[in-house]
Amino acid sequence: MVADYSDQTDIFDPAKFAWPVHMIGLGGIGSATVLPLVKLGLRSTLHLWDNDEVEPRNIPAQLIYRPSDVGKPKVQAAIDILSGYIEAPTELQGHTEFVTATTDLSGVVISGVDSMSARNDIWQAVKWNPEVPLLLDGRIGGEQLTLLALSPSDPEAIEYYEELWLFPDEEGAELPCAARTVIHPVVVLAGCIVAQLTRFARGLPPTQYIDVHTKTTDVIVQPTPNFP
């Protein structure tokens, strides 16, 4: 049976979106984001990047993985799971390594990594890259989530991102081991990421900054000034 996307085409029309999408990191953020990306009916290549294996501690807070996936490379487990949902001509391409500063990227890049050094490498790969119109940088800490959306070729966006959001790992907040991750914030963040991609697909400016505390339900939003 062929999936019918007619109920969503005013929000996201798969036939009108040709950009490849790179999901970098298949941990909490990435594992929650890839399934709704596939469900959108992407008709381009969805690149999956990660160099880790599924561990028992990943099962509670990393959405798609099953106990039977423990020990498998996350990229392979994700492809195995997502392949069962694909009927549109979405191509899944796995990369069992992380992006470096010299990786050739194009299309929409989604960062779901958990270290600033990895974010810096992604940033160097997309900064001033005319083939990357949109960077979505998701961050999770306990019950707080943050999403940044910007054009990495826009001088104002570059200044904003580098001055406020790139800093050494040791400057990040330390959370207790038993309070670092839980399932509901990554699900909320995944929804925000996919929403920003659909806005971009419709020619609408993405929201530059979204911050949500799921414990208190506080939400802070900043619109994007002068998005190209």
Side-chain angles (χ1 to χ4, degrees):
M1 181 179 293
V2 177
D4 180 357
Y5 294 95
S6 59
D7 287 348
Q8 72 171 39
T9 51
D10 284 347
I11 300 170
F12 181 85
D13 187 345
K16 296 180 179 179
F17 188 85
W19 289 104
V21 177
H22 293 262
M23 183 67 246
I24 305 173
L26 293 175
I29 298 169
S31 69
T33 303
V34 288
L35 181 55
L37 287 175
V38 166
K39 284 285 193 174
L40 279 178
L42 291 176
R43 298 187 180 184
S44 55
T45 303
L46 175 57
H47 294 266
L48 308 175
W49 298 80
D50 204 293
N51 63 353
D52 285 339
E53 294 182 349
V54 180
E55 301 178 35
R57 66 187 181 90
N58 300 150
I59 303 303
Q62 299 189 6
L63 187 65
I64 61 173
Y65 302 124
R66 308 156 298 189
S68 59
D69 295 315
V70 171
K72 294 180 183 178
K74 287 184 176 179
V75 165
Q76 189 56 58
I79 289 175
D80 291 346
I81 293 163
L82 296 174
S83 295
Y85 290 94
I86 292 175
E87 68 79 26
T90 304
E91 178 187 353
L92 298 175
Q93 187 166 335
H95 307 268
T96 53
E97 70 271 3
F98 265 128
V99 168
T100 71
T102 59
T103 301
D104 185 19
L105 297 176
S106 64
V108 176
V109 174
I110 306 171
S111 170
V113 299
D114 58 7
S115 75
M116 292 306 300
S117 59
R119 285 191 184 91
N120 271 289
D121 284 341
I122 295 168
W123 180 241
Q124 293 308 313
V126 303
K127 182 180 177 182
W128 298 119
N129 183 345
E131 298 300 314
V132 177
L134 178 64
L135 171 67
L136 297 169
D137 180 359
R139 307 186 183 192
I140 285 282
E143 294 182 83
Q144 179 181 1
L145 63 95
T146 299
L147 178 61
L148 305 164
L150 62 144
S151 166
S153 293
D154 175 57
E156 290 186 11
I158 290 171
E159 181 179 4
Y160 168 79
Y161 189 69
E162 291 185 338
E163 288 190 0
L164 296 180
W165 296 105
L166 289 181
F167 43 81
D169 282 302
E170 55 268 22
E171 292 184 14
E174 272 295 322
L175 294 170
C177 289
R180 290 179 181 170
T181 184
V182 67
I183 193 65
H184 57 281
V186 295
V187 174
V188 174
L189 179 53
C192 292
I193 290 170
V194 175
Q196 295 309 301
L197 185 143
T198 65
R199 286 181 60 83
F200 169 74
R202 284 176 281 168
L204 300 173
T207 304
Q208 180 174 259
Y209 171 81
I210 300 172
D211 186 88
V212 180
H213 291 257
T214 59
K215 182 178 181 179
T216 62
T217 65
D218 290 335
V219 179
I220 302 172
V221 176
Q222 294 175 354
T224 301
N226 306 317
F227 192 81

